[in-house]
Amino acid sequence: MHAEITAYRGRLIITLLANRSIPGEVLSSQDNPRFPGQLICDTARHLGVSKEALRLLRRLPACGKEAADLNWFQLEEGTPTFFWRGGRYAVLSPEYCCVAKEFDIREHVSIPNRVPAGARAQLDALPRVQKPKVGMLTGLAL
């Protein structure tokens, strides 16, 4: 497996496990600095996704193809492929993340929700913000 997607505290955690690009399997910004993200080919073999992460992935809104943070698509030969914009580690909040129009949940490896310790520590350090019961400007119930 070359990448894993897990979830913790309502956020997606994406981890590239490969240290460099692997022809036909991984294209990484690690060794291709002009490439805007990470690409995993044949997700049925190379991408692990937890059921908690799947729940979050299904809730993500679609946006324009050029601005998408994530895409899960099929190549012309039918190979499921996953892309994320950014570095080898990504912590994404569903409220500020969008997927490409052709994004769809495709074949993948089911994994347990083992969140990397660094991501867990980073998210645990964030303050918990309570959602207000009424709008600050309107005074109406939310």
Side-chain angles (χ1 to χ4, degrees):
M1 200 161 3
H2 299 313
E4 293 182 342
I5 306 174
T6 55
Y8 186 64
R9 287 188 62 185
R11 290 177 177 83
L12 289 166
I13 291 91
I14 308 175
T15 307
L16 179 66
L17 303 174
N19 291 326
R20 58 177 167 57
S21 295
I22 301 169
E25 296 178 12
V26 177
L27 180 58
S28 173
S29 64
Q30 293 291 109
D31 51 1
N32 295 290
R34 292 185 183 204
F35 190 65
Q38 318 304 316
L39 186 78
I40 307 297
C41 296
D42 194 2
T43 60
R45 292 182 29 209
H46 303 299
L47 178 66
V49 184
S50 72
K51 65 181 178 183
E52 294 84 354
L54 279 175
R55 270 190 239 119
L56 290 176
L57 286 168
R58 287 188 175 103
R59 290 187 8 214
L60 297 175
C63 58
K65 187 175 183 177
E66 292 79 24
D69 300 303
L70 304 174
N71 196 1
W72 203 341
F73 59 99
Q74 279 192 272
L75 297 176
E76 289 178 11
E77 61 271 7
T79 305
T81 303
F82 186 83
F83 167 82
W84 74 91
R85 187 174 304 281
R88 70 177 296 154
Y89 301 104
V91 177
L92 303 171
S93 177
E95 292 82 24
Y96 303 104
C97 177
C98 63
V99 298
K101 290 177 184 173
E102 66 269 11
F103 179 95
D104 196 11
I105 304 296
R106 305 198 186 267
E107 294 178 86
H108 59 277
V109 178
S110 293
I111 62 169
N113 196 49
R114 292 183 306 254
V115 178
R120 187 180 298 270
Q122 178 184 0
L123 292 171
D124 284 342
L126 294 175
R128 294 195 185 264
V129 177
Q130 299 297 323
K131 184 177 178 183
K133 293 183 178 22
V134 296
M136 291 175 64
L137 298 177
T138 64
L140 300 175
L142 298 176

